[in-house]
Amino acid sequence: MSSTLRCLQVLEVLAEEPNSFSFSDIADALSIDKSSAHRFIHTLIAAGLVECNPHSRCYHLTGKALWVGTGHLRYSPVYRAAYGELESLAHSAETMAHLGVWDNDTVLYLHTVGPPRAVLLFTDVGQRRPVHSTALGKALLAYRPAEDLERVLASNSLRYTDKTITSVGAMREELVRIRRQGYAVDDEEGAPGLRCLAAVIRGGQGEAVGALSVSCSLAQLNDESILHHARLVQQAALRVPSQLGYREYASC
């Protein structure tokens, strides 16, 4: 079991940037000796999940690893149901649109789409972001059990900008506001100069099964255009439940 877990940890290392590592890099990342790293890597090579660049002598994930990883998307009903709406949202909002779900007290990004000029707002599929500093995360948290709030902030209350909400009391007020207005706002809370808006996708019992968001620069998403973009996100999120076989909700 220990060797199996170590092999899986090697895969996690190789999934991080720069996505190509030497034996020494991998051994250092996992605090193991080079001979153990060699054994684990060659097990993964035999499985077809890792290969070596003959020029750099560094190791990276293979196409088979991609196929294994994207099995989560093929399994996810929310991904399938929201895919078309996400494309339409990105087109109507003329910026990046994102689909995220709650995963181990983080936001897991299932898909990102948008115009080429918004490439700097792109988020890789499979990337995780903090709940408390993202519009997607706050939108999802607003419909989670009350005890999740304290646990999330206890595990990660990093302040990314001077606007990041890090106290339980302030976040509780923010969640009340999100439920009242039907959408969440990340107003430069994750990164300076960036605003995001998000609305939840509701399941059969009214629970949040995912969320959609748009990301824009402050110049594009100014105070005058927030309501317009918020309505676009809300309307897209309201249409997804019908694809899941659920009734639509009157508000997010």
Side-chain angles (χ1 to χ4, degrees), residues 4-41:
T4 301
L5 289 175
R6 284 298 193 184
C7 285
L8 295 175
Q9 289 172 345
V10 171
L11 293 178
E12 291 179 353
V13 169
L14 294 177
E16 299 290 341
E17 292 184 355
N19 308 113
S20 180
F21 297 87
S22 68
F23 271 129
S24 297
D25 293 333
I26 295 169
D28 291 344
L30 297 179
S31 299
I32 58 177
D33 58 76
K34 292 182 181 180
S35 62
S36 296
H38 186 278
R39 184 171 70 255
F40 300 144
I41 290 170

Side-chain angles (χ1 to χ4, degrees), residues 1-245:
M1 180 63 73
S2 177
S3 295
T4 301
L5 289 175
R6 284 298 193 184
C7 285
L8 295 175
Q9 289 172 345
V10 171
L11 293 178
E12 291 179 353
V13 169
L14 294 177
E16 299 290 341
E17 292 184 355
N19 308 113
S20 180
F21 297 87
S22 68
F23 271 129
S24 297
D25 293 333
I26 295 169
D28 291 344
L30 297 179
S31 299
I32 58 177
D33 58 76
K34 292 182 181 180
S35 62
S36 296
H38 186 278
R39 184 171 70 255
F40 300 144
I41 290 170
H42 279 274
T43 297
L44 294 168
I45 290 174
L49 297 172
V50 171
E51 60 188 7
C52 180
N53 183 311
H55 303 292
S56 67
R57 303 303 300 169
C58 288
Y59 297 85
H60 59 269
L61 298 177
T62 65
K64 184 178 180 180
L66 173 64
W67 173 252
V68 171
T70 54
H72 180 74
L73 297 181
R74 296 189 295 277
Y75 163 81
S76 171
V78 173
Y79 172 78
R80 296 194 302 271
Y83 188 92
E85 288 297 338
L86 196 67
E87 295 275 350
S88 298
L89 176 60
H91 177 75
S92 58
E94 298 184 323
T95 190
M96 299 304 296
H98 314 276
L99 168 65
V101 295
W102 185 276
D103 187 74
N104 292 321
D105 290 347
T106 65
V107 178
L108 174 64
Y109 284 72
L110 298 186
H111 194 44
T112 295
V113 63
R117 65 177 177 275
V119 67
L120 293 178
L121 305 179
F122 190 84
T123 302
D124 285 328
V125 173
Q127 186 171 353
R128 286 180 169 82
R129 292 279 179 84
V131 169
H132 71 292
S133 61
T134 58
L136 282 172
K138 292 194 296 180
L140 291 166
L141 185 59
Y143 294 90
R144 299 285 301 180
E147 59 268 21
D148 286 3
L149 171 56
E150 291 191 20
R151 187 181 67 251
V152 165
L153 287 183
S155 63
N156 183 359
S157 58
L158 293 177
R159 186 178 294 278
Y160 298 97
T161 74
D162 59 3
K163 293 186 176 182
T164 307
I165 300 173
T166 58
S167 77
V168 172
M171 183 60 77
R172 189 173 288 117
E173 293 178 1
E174 177 77 352
L175 300 183
V176 170
R177 181 162 45 251
I178 290 168
R179 289 190 290 269
R180 183 176 63 247
Q181 66 190 14
Y183 61 91
V185 181
D186 160 12
D187 187 10
E188 297 187 278
E189 295 160 48
L194 178 64
R195 272 181 175 162
C196 305
L197 303 173
V200 295
I201 299 167
R202 308 289 285 272
Q205 303 302 315
E207 75 280 15
V209 297
L212 298 179
S213 74
V214 292
S215 300
C216 307
S217 66
L218 290 181
Q220 183 177 0
L221 188 52
N222 53 42
D223 294 342
E224 289 72 31
S225 64
I226 282 183
L227 188 57
H228 168 70
H229 282 82
R231 293 293 177 245
L232 292 177
V233 177
Q234 286 180 293
Q235 290 164 8
L238 283 169
R239 288 190 290 266
V240 175
S242 64
Q243 300 298 319
L244 289 165

